[in-house]
Amino acid sequence: MKTTNENGILNNYSTEPPIYFAEYPSPEQQSRYALQAAAAALLVTSLILIALLPKIMGYHNSLNCLIRGGFSVF
């Protein structure tokens, strides 16, 4: 959005919205935030464990694991 003043001079600066203070989250929002944090922690933990699984199983690289057909002991 381009704005001009009364003389027709172009103002390239954006218009600023009014400033307001944030409200404290309601108990429902707080419980939703806690659920999202738990889901994020579970996701990150599972990704780290999946990344470390070939090393735990004794495979030195993931390509060797894929060639042998998964995480079998044979």
Side-chain angles (χ1 to χ4, degrees):
M1 178 169 131
K2 296 181 181 179
T3 57
T4 57
N5 66 1
E6 61 275 352
N7 294 331
I9 298 174
L10 181 64
N11 181 6
N12 287 330
Y13 296 105
S14 62
T15 56
E16 296 182 3
I19 296 175
Y20 60 93
F21 291 105
E23 296 178 7
Y24 196 76
S26 67
E28 180 182 315
Q29 288 175 327
Q30 290 177 5
S31 64
R32 227 179 309 144
Y33 292 151
L35 181 63
Q36 289 175 350
L42 181 65
L43 176 69
V44 170
T45 303
S46 63
L47 288 175
I48 290 172
L49 289 176
I50 289 171
L52 294 176
L53 190 61
K55 188 164 184 83
I56 293 170
M57 296 295 288
Y59 297 113
H60 296 290
N61 59 25
S62 58
L63 181 60
N64 189 13
C65 173
L66 291 174
I67 291 172
R68 290 187 180 188
F71 297 107
S72 63
V73 182
F74 304 111

